[in-house]
Amino acid sequence: MPHLKKPRKVEPLSKLWDRKAQKCGLRHTVYSVNGDEYTGNWLDSKKHGKGTQIWKKGGAIYDGDWKYGKRDGYGTYSKLLSVTNEYSREYSGGWKNDKKHGFGTYFYSDAACYEGEWSEDQRSGWGRMYYDNGDIYEGEWLKNKHHGQGMLRLANENRYEGNWKYGKKNGHGKYFYLDKGQLYEGFWVDGVAKCGTVSDFGRAEAPTPTIYPIPKVHLLDVRSVLMETQSTYHGE
């Protein structure tokens, strides 16, 4: 009896083409239909590993880590300046799921920048912000706002140290008027000082001190007065 060979299973052309088109490992530059280009590592047709992406629209460039098609790990994002036709670094740091995440530095302008922690594209955690006007904030953040403990130092060296809530002074804090040689220490509500004490502080070194020092005022129980006033605002 003759031996019959089993027919060989033929892979459909559609699957064969799809398999050959799969991008894995390191490849040369791949151009998208919209003009974007990517050079780097792939895994199952997704950007994965080290790679550089250039967006045709706007001319932005990202160089760093990728994970399953999204920026993830450490990388630098830069924009093309139309005036000089040169790249200017905008953000350098951690990424997760295509968003700024972890520790990183963002450059808003030549003078303004933020260095610190990020969460889902927003400043959250500890960070230091340098503003265009010369002010500096260092402390805790939540969703792009000062939140928690922090210090704001103004360009004239006056500063606030204390609690913040959603971008405003809230709770206990100290405001140093170094230009006048005074210190306010007390309680704040939504950025407004509500109850506290003012005393001389560094008056001898102040550039524009007050004409007369602050006279001493004695209360029988300063602590109880402050606590009573604070409880009023907490109850609102």
Side-chain angles (χ1 to χ4, degrees):
M1 185 175 180
H3 178 72
L4 298 177
K5 292 184 179 180
K6 292 183 179 180
R8 189 174 59 180
K9 192 173 182 180
V10 179
E11 184 179 19
L13 284 176
S14 59
K15 290 188 176 181
L16 176 63
W17 292 337
D18 184 64
R19 180 169 55 82
K20 288 185 176 182
Q22 288 288 314
K23 305 181 188 72
C24 286
L26 179 64
R27 285 205 170 199
H28 294 296
T29 303
V30 176
Y31 296 89
S32 302
V33 177
N34 62 3
D36 296 347
E37 54 186 88
Y38 172 81
T39 305
N41 292 95
W42 296 81
L43 180 65
D44 296 332
S45 291
K46 293 183 179 179
K47 301 157 193 169
H48 191 89
K50 299 287 185 182
T52 301
Q53 166 90 17
I54 300 176
W55 288 269
K56 182 179 180 180
K57 186 178 180 179
I61 182 172
Y62 170 81
D63 181 50
D65 298 320
W66 296 80
K67 189 175 181 180
Y68 302 117
K70 296 182 178 181
R71 291 167 290 186
D72 200 298
Y74 181 87
T76 299
Y77 180 84
S78 304
K79 283 189 173 181
L80 184 65
L81 300 178
S82 57
V83 178
T84 61
N85 202 33
E86 295 179 347
Y87 282 102
S88 174
R89 184 174 55 172
E90 185 173 278
Y91 174 78
S92 183
W95 297 79
K96 186 177 181 181
N97 200 29
D98 226 25
K99 295 180 180 180
K100 294 182 283 291
H101 193 90
F103 191 89
T105 302
Y106 191 99
F107 300 90
Y108 295 89
S109 65
D110 291 337
C113 74
Y114 169 85
E115 53 184 13
E117 295 176 297
W118 296 78
S119 178
E120 296 186 343
D121 258 351
Q122 294 183 319
R123 293 165 290 183
S124 289
W126 179 93
R128 182 188 294 116
M129 177 75 196
Y130 298 88
Y131 294 91
D132 281 314
N133 63 358
D135 295 349
I136 301 174
Y137 172 82
E138 183 173 357
E140 295 177 292
W141 295 73
L142 180 66
K143 296 181 179 180
N144 285 332
K145 295 183 182 295
H146 310 159
H147 192 88
Q149 286 289 321
M151 179 189 72
L152 176 65
R153 190 172 74 224
L154 305 182
N156 64 1
E157 297 300 327
N158 289 348
R159 71 179 186 272
Y160 169 81
E161 298 177 2
N163 288 294
W164 298 80
K165 188 175 181 181
Y166 303 122
K168 295 181 179 180
K169 306 177 188 72
N170 266 285
H172 294 280
K174 297 179 180 180
Y175 199 105
F176 297 83
Y177 296 91
L178 299 183
D179 56 342
K180 297 188 296 183
Q182 292 181 342
L183 166 65
Y184 169 85
E185 184 173 1
F187 190 75
W188 302 71
V189 177
D190 293 336
V192 180
K194 293 294 185 178
C195 179
T197 59
V198 179
S199 59
D200 288 321
F201 182 88
R203 191 167 174 274
E205 296 81 24
T208 56
T210 55
I211 299 176
Y212 302 106
I214 297 174
K216 292 183 179 181
V217 179
H218 297 281
L219 293 175
L220 293 177
D221 192 348
V222 178
R223 183 177 177 82
S224 64
V225 173
L226 293 175
M227 289 182 66
E228 182 180 352
T229 307
Q230 292 170 18
S231 64
T232 303
Y233 291 106
H234 279 305
E236 291 181 350

